[in-house]
Amino acid sequence: MSALLDAVDVLYRGVVSEPGAWNDRRLEDWSETLGEFSELDRASAKYIRRVMTAARKLRAFWSEHPVDEGIDWRSRVDLALGNRAWRPVLDLATYLLSIDPSPEVFERTSILFRTVNHEQFIDGITYEEWIEN
């Protein structure tokens, strides 16, 4: 499941670092490669569509602004769209955590939750504490 979140990172990193290289065809090619994930059910596909919408907006923003190589790609996402870019990724992570919990997805969800909501995920409990409940 965390591999799907890794794929989203690749997309976001690409569109904010090399926006000219990510035309509509390449975006579609990226989404077609997600077919390798068996967990890409209707709900996951819905979140991926929202991620794609954010990626197109990120690409458009960075196509019109110079890309400063000294700025981390995550900061570029924040500069362009802020929390709105991370919300669909958080929704996807939360969904993936609900259907197939793992420490990796829990950690990613925690980080995304803090990024989007500026507070701790589930009052800062650990994965072990969460899985016991």
Side-chain angles (χ1 to χ4, degrees):
M1 297 287 188
S2 66
L4 186 54
L5 295 172
D6 292 341
V8 171
D9 283 353
V10 167
L11 173 66
Y12 274 18
R13 184 182 306 118
V15 298
V16 300
S17 299
E18 299 178 282
W22 285 82
N23 59 24
D24 287 338
R25 181 68 232 158
R26 185 162 181 197
L27 286 169
E28 291 304 317
D29 288 346
W30 176 87
S31 69
E32 289 172 8
T33 65
L34 298 180
E36 68 188 59
F37 297 102
S38 60
E39 69 270 8
L40 200 60
D41 55 12
R42 281 181 62 147
S44 297
K46 174 180 73 172
Y47 298 127
I48 290 296
R49 284 191 300 277
R50 292 178 183 166
V51 163
M52 294 279 293
T53 299
R56 284 185 176 93
K57 290 177 182 178
L58 291 167
R59 178 189 65 183
F61 180 90
W62 288 107
S63 291
E64 296 184 11
H65 294 84
V67 176
D68 182 346
E69 296 301 322
I71 299 176
D72 176 65
W73 71 269
R74 287 179 177 87
S75 296
R76 289 184 212 147
V77 170
D78 291 338
L79 286 170
L81 295 180
N83 294 350
R84 293 175 299 151
W86 298 113
R87 171 60 66 186
V89 186
L90 172 61
D91 292 343
L92 175 63
T94 304
Y95 174 70
L96 295 175
L97 185 63
S98 75
I99 63 171
D100 190 15
S102 73
E104 296 82 14
V105 174
F106 184 88
E107 180 65 23
R108 298 282 291 274
T109 304
S110 296
I111 292 167
L112 288 162
F113 189 87
R114 180 171 290 160
T115 299
V116 171
N117 298 305
H118 307 290
E119 58 186 53
Q120 290 184 330
F121 181 58
I122 316 175
D123 296 324
I125 67 172
T126 66
Y127 174 75
E128 290 77 20
E129 293 168 328
W130 177 76
I131 203 74
E132 287 176 5
N133 294 324

